[in-house]
Amino acid sequence: NAGVTQTPKFRVLKTGQSMTLLCAQDMNHEYMYWYRQDPGMGLRLIHYSVGEGTTAKGEVPDGYNVSRLKKQNFLLGLESAAPSQTSVYFCASSNGKVNEQFFGPGTRLTVL
Amino acid sequence: AQKVTQAQTEISVVEKEDVTLDCVYETRDTTYYLFWYKQPPSGELVFLIRRNSFDEQNEISGRYSWNFQKSTSSFNFTITASQVVDSAVYFCALIMGDNYGQNFVFGPGTRLSVLP
């Protein structure tokens, strides 16, 4: 099993460009999450999903959109990238709200 | 509101020393869950432990142990006889056990450096 995978691993964008980060999990988990990690701030929840076709906002949702069309995939979109979105993005999945989360390897995004 | 504080930003120890990483949390709920994750230099996040609010029994796993004290809202993590491979950033996290919302809150992390 691959667990949780993220595509791409690195990306550099110019301000105003758009992009989509893909997260895939093969553990048949219902819950999926997108976090961003910034120095000294731990991980902050951007959006999450409690099942196929559902999405909800987390702590820092502004500037991001998500979709969960298939149970195994969770997409994070940036419509108009800003330098403040430079960060490391982690996807995670779990089989229950209070269960351990399994994390992907992360995507390092730089917005110039 | 929920909050997790890890007051120690960075800790350095020499190999074989014991080290304790502090975690203090705030929540108004009576049902909640606490976690510790490890992030080694390679960047991935590794789950270490989960503890629910009704189980104050301390946990030991090899060189790792956890001390959960509701009276002081703390969930501290101790590494005994530290090794260089323990060098990582350690995160404490908290989630409420209610049936709505998804407030999984991470602390800012403690960077542990174990020197040979």
Side-chain angles (χ1 to χ4, degrees), chain A residues 21-51:
Chain A
L21 306 183
L22 171 63
C23 175
Q25 52 97 2
D26 61 3
M27 296 174 282
N28 201 34
H29 286 168
E30 290 292 338
Y31 290 71
M32 296 188 74
Y33 313 84
W34 275 107
Y35 293 90
R36 60 178 289 172
Q37 183 178 25
D38 302 294
M41 301 188 72
L43 281 82
R44 292 182 292 168
L45 184 63
I46 304 171
H47 286 281
Y48 65 97
S49 168
V50 301

PDB file of all heavy atoms in Angstrom, chain A residues 21-51:
ATOM      1  N   LEU A  21      -3.288  20.927  -6.109  1.00  0.00           N
ATOM      2  CA  LEU A  21      -2.522  19.870  -5.448  1.00  0.00           C
ATOM      3  C   LEU A  21      -3.406  18.643  -5.328  1.00  0.00           C
ATOM      4  O   LEU A  21      -4.573  18.746  -4.941  1.00  0.00           O
ATOM      5  CB  LEU A  21      -2.068  20.310  -4.054  1.00  0.00           C
ATOM      6  CG  LEU A  21      -1.291  21.616  -3.951  1.00  0.00           C
ATOM      7  CD1 LEU A  21      -0.857  21.864  -2.506  1.00  0.00           C
ATOM      8  CD2 LEU A  21      -0.081  21.607  -4.868  1.00  0.00           C
ATOM      9  N   LEU A  22      -2.827  17.493  -5.652  1.00  0.00           N
ATOM     10  CA  LEU A  22      -3.593  16.255  -5.601  1.00  0.00           C
ATOM     11  C   LEU A  22      -3.141  15.400  -4.427  1.00  0.00           C
ATOM     12  O   LEU A  22      -1.947  15.220  -4.201  1.00  0.00           O
ATOM     13  CB  LEU A  22      -3.409  15.463  -6.891  1.00  0.00           C
ATOM     14  CG  LEU A  22      -3.986  14.029  -6.900  1.00  0.00           C
ATOM     15  CD1 LEU A  22      -5.501  14.053  -6.719  1.00  0.00           C
ATOM     16  CD2 LEU A  22      -3.587  13.306  -8.171  1.00  0.00           C
ATOM     17  N   CYS A  23      -4.103  14.889  -3.696  1.00  0.00           N
ATOM     18  CA  CYS A  23      -3.844  13.952  -2.609  1.00  0.00           C
ATOM     19  C   CYS A  23      -4.612  12.670  -2.900  1.00  0.00           C
ATOM     20  O   CYS A  23      -5.804  12.721  -3.245  1.00  0.00           O
ATOM     21  CB  CYS A  23      -4.292  14.536  -1.280  1.00  0.00           C
ATOM     22  SG  CYS A  23      -4.146  13.386   0.112  1.00  0.00           S
ATOM     23  N   ALA A  24      -3.944  11.538  -2.752  1.00  0.00           N
ATOM     24  CA  ALA A  24      -4.592  10.247  -2.969  1.00  0.00           C
ATOM     25  C   ALA A  24      -4.261   9.315  -1.812  1.00  0.00           C
ATOM     26  O   ALA A  24      -3.130   9.302  -1.328  1.00  0.00           O
ATOM     27  CB  ALA A  24      -4.142   9.634  -4.287  1.00  0.00           C
ATOM     28  N   GLN A  25      -5.283   8.548  -1.379  1.00  0.00           N
ATOM     29  CA  GLN A  25      -5.049   7.562  -0.322  1.00  0.00           C
ATOM     30  C   GLN A  25      -5.673   6.234  -0.727  1.00  0.00           C
ATOM     31  O   GLN A  25      -6.733   6.202  -1.365  1.00  0.00           O
ATOM     32  CB  GLN A  25      -5.593   8.054   1.029  1.00  0.00           C
ATOM     33  CG  GLN A  25      -7.038   8.507   1.015  1.00  0.00           C
ATOM     34  CD  GLN A  25      -8.030   7.466   1.473  1.00  0.00           C
ATOM     35  OE1 GLN A  25      -7.673   6.350   1.857  1.00  0.00           O
ATOM     36  NE2 GLN A  25      -9.311   7.821   1.445  1.00  0.00           N
ATOM     37  N   ASP A  26      -5.004   5.160  -0.345  1.00  0.00           N
ATOM     38  CA  ASP A  26      -5.473   3.829  -0.730  1.00  0.00           C
ATOM     39  C   ASP A  26      -5.890   3.014   0.495  1.00  0.00           C
ATOM     40  O   ASP A  26      -5.871   1.771   0.455  1.00  0.00           O
ATOM     41  CB  ASP A  26      -4.395   3.100  -1.534  1.00  0.00           C
ATOM     42  CG  ASP A  26      -3.106   2.893  -0.757  1.00  0.00           C
ATOM     43  OD1 ASP A  26      -3.054   3.266   0.437  1.00  0.00           O
ATOM     44  OD2 ASP A  26      -2.148   2.360  -1.344  1.00  0.00           O
ATOM     45  N   MET A  27      -6.270   3.687   1.560  1.00  0.00           N
ATOM     46  CA  MET A  27      -6.642   2.996   2.795  1.00  0.00           C
ATOM     47  C   MET A  27      -8.162   2.991   3.016  1.00  0.00           C
ATOM     48  O   MET A  27      -8.630   2.594   4.082  1.00  0.00           O
ATOM     49  CB  MET A  27      -5.935   3.674   3.974  1.00  0.00           C
ATOM     50  CG  MET A  27      -4.425   3.538   3.885  1.00  0.00           C
ATOM     51  SD  MET A  27      -3.534   4.464   5.159  1.00  0.00           S
ATOM     52  CE  MET A  27      -3.632   6.112   4.477  1.00  0.00           C
ATOM     53  N   ASN A  28      -8.897   3.464   2.036  1.00  0.00           N
ATOM     54  CA  ASN A  28     -10.360   3.504   2.113  1.00  0.00           C
ATOM     55  C   ASN A  28     -10.857   4.368   3.284  1.00  0.00           C
ATOM     56  O   ASN A  28     -11.904   4.107   3.871  1.00  0.00           O
ATOM     57  CB  ASN A  28     -10.947   2.092   2.246  1.00  0.00           C
ATOM     58  CG  ASN A  28     -12.402   2.026   1.814  1.00  0.00           C
ATOM     59  OD1 ASN A  28     -12.822   2.728   0.890  1.00  0.00           O
ATOM     60  ND2 ASN A  28     -13.183   1.210   2.494  1.00  0.00           N
ATOM     61  N   HIS A  29     -10.090   5.405   3.596  1.00  0.00           N
ATOM     62  CA  HIS A  29     -10.476   6.290   4.685  1.00  0.00           C
ATOM     63  C   HIS A  29     -11.584   7.240   4.271  1.00  0.00           C
ATOM     64  O   HIS A  29     -11.579   7.759   3.135  1.00  0.00           O
ATOM     65  CB  HIS A  29      -9.271   7.100   5.167  1.00  0.00           C
ATOM     66  CG  HIS A  29      -8.298   6.284   5.965  1.00  0.00           C
ATOM     67  ND1 HIS A  29      -7.037   6.744   6.284  1.00  0.00           N
ATOM     68  CD2 HIS A  29      -8.407   5.056   6.524  1.00  0.00           C
ATOM     69  CE1 HIS A  29      -6.418   5.824   7.015  1.00  0.00           C
ATOM     70  NE2 HIS A  29      -7.230   4.796   7.167  1.00  0.00           N
ATOM     71  N   GLU A  30     -12.488   7.527   5.210  1.00  0.00           N
ATOM     72  CA  GLU A  30     -13.553   8.481   4.926  1.00  0.00           C
ATOM     73  C   GLU A  30     -13.071   9.929   5.054  1.00  0.00           C
ATOM     74  O   GLU A  30     -13.486  10.796   4.317  1.00  0.00           O
ATOM     75  CB  GLU A  30     -14.713   8.266   5.898  1.00  0.00           C
ATOM     76  CG  GLU A  30     -15.495   6.970   5.681  1.00  0.00           C
ATOM     77  CD  GLU A  30     -16.278   6.976   4.373  1.00  0.00           C
ATOM     78  OE1 GLU A  30     -16.573   8.066   3.834  1.00  0.00           O
ATOM     79  OE2 GLU A  30     -16.580   5.867   3.873  1.00  0.00           O
ATOM     80  N   TYR A  31     -12.236  10.184   6.061  1.00  0.00           N
ATOM     81  CA  TYR A  31     -11.833  11.548   6.353  1.00  0.00           C
ATOM     82  C   TYR A  31     -10.531  11.900   5.640  1.00  0.00           C
ATOM     83  O   TYR A  31      -9.581  11.114   5.645  1.00  0.00           O
ATOM     84  CB  TYR A  31     -11.604  11.722   7.861  1.00  0.00           C
ATOM     85  CG  TYR A  31     -12.849  11.686   8.706  1.00  0.00           C
ATOM     86  CD1 TYR A  31     -13.549  10.498   8.906  1.00  0.00           C
ATOM     87  CD2 TYR A  31     -13.310  12.843   9.317  1.00  0.00           C
ATOM     88  CE1 TYR A  31     -14.689  10.474   9.689  1.00  0.00           C
ATOM     89  CE2 TYR A  31     -14.447  12.818  10.113  1.00  0.00           C
ATOM     90  CZ  TYR A  31     -15.132  11.624  10.287  1.00  0.00           C
ATOM     91  OH  TYR A  31     -16.257  11.612  11.070  1.00  0.00           O
ATOM     92  N   MET A  32     -10.522  13.094   5.065  1.00  0.00           N
ATOM     93  CA  MET A  32      -9.303  13.607   4.462  1.00  0.00           C
ATOM     94  C   MET A  32      -9.150  15.065   4.813  1.00  0.00           C
ATOM     95  O   MET A  32     -10.140  15.778   5.031  1.00  0.00           O
ATOM     96  CB  MET A  32      -9.297  13.400   2.936  1.00  0.00           C
ATOM     97  CG  MET A  32      -9.290  11.924   2.545  1.00  0.00           C
ATOM     98  SD  MET A  32      -9.054  11.629   0.792  1.00  0.00           S
ATOM     99  CE  MET A  32      -7.297  11.992   0.594  1.00  0.00           C
ATOM    100  N   TYR A  33      -7.880  15.525   4.859  1.00  0.00           N
ATOM    101  CA  TYR A  33      -7.571  16.862   5.362  1.00  0.00           C
ATOM    102  C   TYR A  33      -6.460  17.502   4.530  1.00  0.00           C
ATOM    103  O   TYR A  33      -5.592  16.814   4.016  1.00  0.00           O
ATOM    104  CB  TYR A  33      -7.056  16.778   6.809  1.00  0.00           C
ATOM    105  CG  TYR A  33      -7.860  15.897   7.737  1.00  0.00           C
ATOM    106  CD1 TYR A  33      -7.640  14.516   7.779  1.00  0.00           C
ATOM    107  CD2 TYR A  33      -8.806  16.445   8.591  1.00  0.00           C
ATOM    108  CE1 TYR A  33      -8.372  13.703   8.637  1.00  0.00           C
ATOM    109  CE2 TYR A  33      -9.533  15.635   9.457  1.00  0.00           C
ATOM    110  CZ  TYR A  33      -9.308  14.276   9.464  1.00  0.00           C
ATOM    111  OH  TYR A  33     -10.022  13.477  10.316  1.00  0.00           O
ATOM    112  N   TRP A  34      -6.500  18.815   4.483  1.00  0.00           N
ATOM    113  CA  TRP A  34      -5.382  19.585   3.959  1.00  0.00           C
ATOM    114  C   TRP A  34      -4.913  20.558   5.038  1.00  0.00           C
ATOM    115  O   TRP A  34      -5.712  21.291   5.627  1.00  0.00           O
ATOM    116  CB  TRP A  34      -5.775  20.396   2.719  1.00  0.00           C
ATOM    117  CG  TRP A  34      -5.703  19.624   1.447  1.00  0.00           C
ATOM    118  CD1 TRP A  34      -6.730  19.147   0.694  1.00  0.00           C
ATOM    119  CD2 TRP A  34      -4.501  19.231   0.762  1.00  0.00           C
ATOM    120  NE1 TRP A  34      -6.261  18.485  -0.401  1.00  0.00           N
ATOM    121  CE2 TRP A  34      -4.897  18.524  -0.393  1.00  0.00           C
ATOM    122  CE3 TRP A  34      -3.137  19.417   1.003  1.00  0.00           C
ATOM    123  CZ2 TRP A  34      -3.984  17.998  -1.300  1.00  0.00           C
ATOM    124  CZ3 TRP A  34      -2.231  18.892   0.113  1.00  0.00           C
ATOM    125  CH2 TRP A  34      -2.653  18.189  -1.028  1.00  0.00           C
ATOM    126  N   TYR A  35      -3.604  20.527   5.287  1.00  0.00           N
ATOM    127  CA  TYR A  35      -2.973  21.422   6.249  1.00  0.00           C
ATOM    128  C   TYR A  35      -1.896  22.226   5.543  1.00  0.00           C
ATOM    129  O   TYR A  35      -1.344  21.805   4.532  1.00  0.00           O
ATOM    130  CB  TYR A  35      -2.271  20.637   7.359  1.00  0.00           C
ATOM    131  CG  TYR A  35      -3.154  19.851   8.286  1.00  0.00           C
ATOM    132  CD1 TYR A  35      -3.496  18.538   8.009  1.00  0.00           C
ATOM    133  CD2 TYR A  35      -3.625  20.424   9.466  1.00  0.00           C
ATOM    134  CE1 TYR A  35      -4.290  17.801   8.881  1.00  0.00           C
ATOM    135  CE2 TYR A  35      -4.420  19.693  10.350  1.00  0.00           C
ATOM    136  CZ  TYR A  35      -4.737  18.387  10.044  1.00  0.00           C
ATOM    137  OH  TYR A  35      -5.517  17.662  10.917  1.00  0.00           O
ATOM    138  N   ARG A  36      -1.550  23.341   6.160  1.00  0.00           N
ATOM    139  CA  ARG A  36      -0.349  24.044   5.778  1.00  0.00           C
ATOM    140  C   ARG A  36       0.549  24.156   6.995  1.00  0.00           C
ATOM    141  O   ARG A  36       0.064  24.286   8.134  1.00  0.00           O
ATOM    142  CB  ARG A  36      -0.636  25.421   5.171  1.00  0.00           C
ATOM    143  CG  ARG A  36      -1.365  26.402   6.045  1.00  0.00           C
ATOM    144  CD  ARG A  36      -1.533  27.752   5.334  1.00  0.00           C
ATOM    145  NE  ARG A  36      -0.248  28.466   5.228  1.00  0.00           N
ATOM    146  CZ  ARG A  36      -0.081  29.578   4.526  1.00  0.00           C
ATOM    147  NH1 ARG A  36      -1.108  30.122   3.870  1.00  0.00           N
ATOM    148  NH2 ARG A  36       1.102  30.165   4.474  1.00  0.00           N
ATOM    149  N   GLN A  37       1.843  24.067   6.736  1.00  0.00           N
ATOM    150  CA  GLN A  37       2.812  24.154   7.828  1.00  0.00           C
ATOM    151  C   GLN A  37       3.735  25.320   7.579  1.00  0.00           C
ATOM    152  O   GLN A  37       4.431  25.387   6.554  1.00  0.00           O
ATOM    153  CB  GLN A  37       3.648  22.871   7.955  1.00  0.00           C
ATOM    154  CG  GLN A  37       4.621  22.912   9.126  1.00  0.00           C
ATOM    155  CD  GLN A  37       5.422  21.639   9.285  1.00  0.00           C
ATOM    156  OE1 GLN A  37       5.638  20.891   8.334  1.00  0.00           O
ATOM    157  NE2 GLN A  37       5.867  21.360  10.504  1.00  0.00           N
ATOM    158  N   ASP A  38       3.750  26.240   8.517  1.00  0.00           N
ATOM    159  CA  ASP A  38       4.618  27.410   8.451  1.00  0.00           C
ATOM    160  C   ASP A  38       5.516  27.421   9.669  1.00  0.00           C
ATOM    161  O   ASP A  38       5.123  26.954  10.749  1.00  0.00           O
ATOM    162  CB  ASP A  38       3.777  28.691   8.393  1.00  0.00           C
ATOM    163  CG  ASP A  38       2.838  28.683   7.205  1.00  0.00           C
ATOM    164  OD1 ASP A  38       3.359  28.709   6.075  1.00  0.00           O
ATOM    165  OD2 ASP A  38       1.609  28.628   7.397  1.00  0.00           O
ATOM    166  N   PRO A  39       6.719  27.939   9.544  1.00  0.00           N
ATOM    167  CA  PRO A  39       7.679  27.918  10.657  1.00  0.00           C
ATOM    168  C   PRO A  39       7.093  28.494  11.946  1.00  0.00           C
ATOM    169  O   PRO A  39       6.506  29.576  11.940  1.00  0.00           O
ATOM    170  CB  PRO A  39       8.826  28.788  10.128  1.00  0.00           C
ATOM    171  CG  PRO A  39       8.740  28.670   8.652  1.00  0.00           C
ATOM    172  CD  PRO A  39       7.271  28.590   8.339  1.00  0.00           C
ATOM    173  N   GLY A  40       7.251  27.747  13.025  1.00  0.00           N
ATOM    174  CA  GLY A  40       6.815  28.227  14.333  1.00  0.00           C
ATOM    175  C   GLY A  40       5.324  28.190  14.580  1.00  0.00           C
ATOM    176  O   GLY A  40       4.864  28.637  15.636  1.00  0.00           O
ATOM    177  N   MET A  41       4.560  27.657  13.608  1.00  0.00           N
ATOM    178  CA  MET A  41       3.101  27.689  13.773  1.00  0.00           C
ATOM    179  C   MET A  41       2.470  26.310  13.734  1.00  0.00           C
ATOM    180  O   MET A  41       1.254  26.189  13.723  1.00  0.00           O
ATOM    181  CB  MET A  41       2.473  28.573  12.693  1.00  0.00           C
ATOM    182  CG  MET A  41       2.989  29.999  12.713  1.00  0.00           C
ATOM    183  SD  MET A  41       2.096  31.070  11.612  1.00  0.00           S
ATOM    184  CE  MET A  41       0.544  31.214  12.488  1.00  0.00           C
ATOM    185  N   GLY A  42       3.246  25.290  13.710  1.00  0.00           N
ATOM    186  CA  GLY A  42       2.667  23.963  13.649  1.00  0.00           C
ATOM    187  C   GLY A  42       1.903  23.770  12.344  1.00  0.00           C
ATOM    188  O   GLY A  42       2.194  24.399  11.332  1.00  0.00           O
ATOM    189  N   LEU A  43       0.910  22.914  12.371  1.00  0.00           N
ATOM    190  CA  LEU A  43       0.072  22.672  11.201  1.00  0.00           C
ATOM    191  C   LEU A  43      -1.278  23.328  11.423  1.00  0.00           C
ATOM    192  O   LEU A  43      -1.853  23.237  12.511  1.00  0.00           O
ATOM    193  CB  LEU A  43      -0.139  21.169  10.982  1.00  0.00           C
ATOM    194  CG  LEU A  43       1.015  20.428  10.323  1.00  0.00           C
ATOM    195  CD1 LEU A  43       2.077  20.065  11.332  1.00  0.00           C
ATOM    196  CD2 LEU A  43       0.505  19.175   9.621  1.00  0.00           C
ATOM    197  N   ARG A  44      -1.783  23.945  10.384  1.00  0.00           N
ATOM    198  CA  ARG A  44      -3.107  24.570  10.467  1.00  0.00           C
ATOM    199  C   ARG A  44      -4.018  23.973   9.407  1.00  0.00           C
ATOM    200  O   ARG A  44      -3.624  23.830   8.251  1.00  0.00           O
ATOM    201  CB  ARG A  44      -2.985  26.085  10.302  1.00  0.00           C
ATOM    202  CG  ARG A  44      -2.273  26.774  11.462  1.00  0.00           C
ATOM    203  CD  ARG A  44      -2.230  28.278  11.261  1.00  0.00           C
ATOM    204  NE  ARG A  44      -1.372  28.629  10.135  1.00  0.00           N
ATOM    205  CZ  ARG A  44      -1.323  29.841   9.586  1.00  0.00           C
ATOM    206  NH1 ARG A  44      -2.087  30.806  10.045  1.00  0.00           N
ATOM    207  NH2 ARG A  44      -0.508  30.084   8.590  1.00  0.00           N
ATOM    208  N   LEU A  45      -5.220  23.658   9.818  1.00  0.00           N
ATOM    209  CA  LEU A  45      -6.167  22.983   8.948  1.00  0.00           C
ATOM    210  C   LEU A  45      -6.781  23.964   7.958  1.00  0.00           C
ATOM    211  O   LEU A  45      -7.326  25.005   8.342  1.00  0.00           O
ATOM    212  CB  LEU A  45      -7.262  22.329   9.797  1.00  0.00           C
ATOM    213  CG  LEU A  45      -8.297  21.490   9.079  1.00  0.00           C
ATOM    214  CD1 LEU A  45      -7.649  20.280   8.409  1.00  0.00           C
ATOM    215  CD2 LEU A  45      -9.377  21.046  10.056  1.00  0.00           C
ATOM    216  N   ILE A  46      -6.707  23.628   6.678  1.00  0.00           N
ATOM    217  CA  ILE A  46      -7.247  24.498   5.629  1.00  0.00           C
ATOM    218  C   ILE A  46      -8.695  24.095   5.306  1.00  0.00           C
ATOM    219  O   ILE A  46      -9.627  24.889   5.437  1.00  0.00           O
ATOM    220  CB  ILE A  46      -6.401  24.403   4.347  1.00  0.00           C
ATOM    221  CG1 ILE A  46      -4.937  24.744   4.647  1.00  0.00           C
ATOM    222  CG2 ILE A  46      -6.945  25.354   3.283  1.00  0.00           C
ATOM    223  CD1 ILE A  46      -3.998  24.462   3.471  1.00  0.00           C
ATOM    224  N   HIS A  47      -8.856  22.878   4.859  1.00  0.00           N
ATOM    225  CA  HIS A  47     -10.167  22.300   4.566  1.00  0.00           C
ATOM    226  C   HIS A  47     -10.115  20.818   4.920  1.00  0.00           C
ATOM    227  O   HIS A  47      -9.041  20.232   5.004  1.00  0.00           O
ATOM    228  CB  HIS A  47     -10.525  22.428   3.083  1.00  0.00           C
ATOM    229  CG  HIS A  47     -10.914  23.790   2.626  1.00  0.00           C
ATOM    230  ND1 HIS A  47     -12.168  24.319   2.835  1.00  0.00           N
ATOM    231  CD2 HIS A  47     -10.201  24.733   1.947  1.00  0.00           C
ATOM    232  CE1 HIS A  47     -12.224  25.530   2.293  1.00  0.00           C
ATOM    233  NE2 HIS A  47     -11.049  25.811   1.755  1.00  0.00           N
ATOM    234  N   TYR A  48     -11.299  20.250   5.068  1.00  0.00           N
ATOM    235  CA  TYR A  48     -11.348  18.824   5.310  1.00  0.00           C
ATOM    236  C   TYR A  48     -12.600  18.240   4.665  1.00  0.00           C
ATOM    237  O   TYR A  48     -13.486  18.981   4.198  1.00  0.00           O
ATOM    238  CB  TYR A  48     -11.313  18.507   6.806  1.00  0.00           C
ATOM    239  CG  TYR A  48     -12.506  18.998   7.589  1.00  0.00           C
ATOM    240  CD1 TYR A  48     -13.578  18.154   7.874  1.00  0.00           C
ATOM    241  CD2 TYR A  48     -12.548  20.303   8.074  1.00  0.00           C
ATOM    242  CE1 TYR A  48     -14.660  18.607   8.609  1.00  0.00           C
ATOM    243  CE2 TYR A  48     -13.624  20.756   8.803  1.00  0.00           C
ATOM    244  CZ  TYR A  48     -14.675  19.906   9.075  1.00  0.00           C
ATOM    245  OH  TYR A  48     -15.750  20.356   9.804  1.00  0.00           O
ATOM    246  N   SER A  49     -12.641  16.910   4.648  1.00  0.00           N
ATOM    247  CA  SER A  49     -13.786  16.206   4.059  1.00  0.00           C
ATOM    248  C   SER A  49     -14.104  14.996   4.923  1.00  0.00           C
ATOM    249  O   SER A  49     -13.191  14.267   5.325  1.00  0.00           O
ATOM    250  CB  SER A  49     -13.456  15.767   2.636  1.00  0.00           C
ATOM    251  OG  SER A  49     -14.412  14.855   2.149  1.00  0.00           O
ATOM    252  N   VAL A  50     -15.381  14.785   5.184  1.00  0.00           N
ATOM    253  CA  VAL A  50     -15.787  13.636   6.004  1.00  0.00           C
ATOM    254  C   VAL A  50     -16.340  12.511   5.153  1.00  0.00           C
ATOM    255  O   VAL A  50     -16.849  11.518   5.682  1.00  0.00           O
ATOM    256  CB  VAL A  50     -16.787  14.042   7.103  1.00  0.00           C
ATOM    257  CG1 VAL A  50     -16.166  15.087   8.018  1.00  0.00           C
ATOM    258  CG2 VAL A  50     -18.086  14.535   6.506  1.00  0.00           C
ATOM    259  N   GLY A  51     -16.244  12.667   3.838  1.00  0.00           N
ATOM    260  CA  GLY A  51     -16.683  11.601   2.956  1.00  0.00           C
ATOM    261  C   GLY A  51     -16.762  12.108   1.535  1.00  0.00           C
ATOM    262  O   GLY A  51     -16.723  13.320   1.276  1.00  0.00           O
TER     263      GLY A  51
END
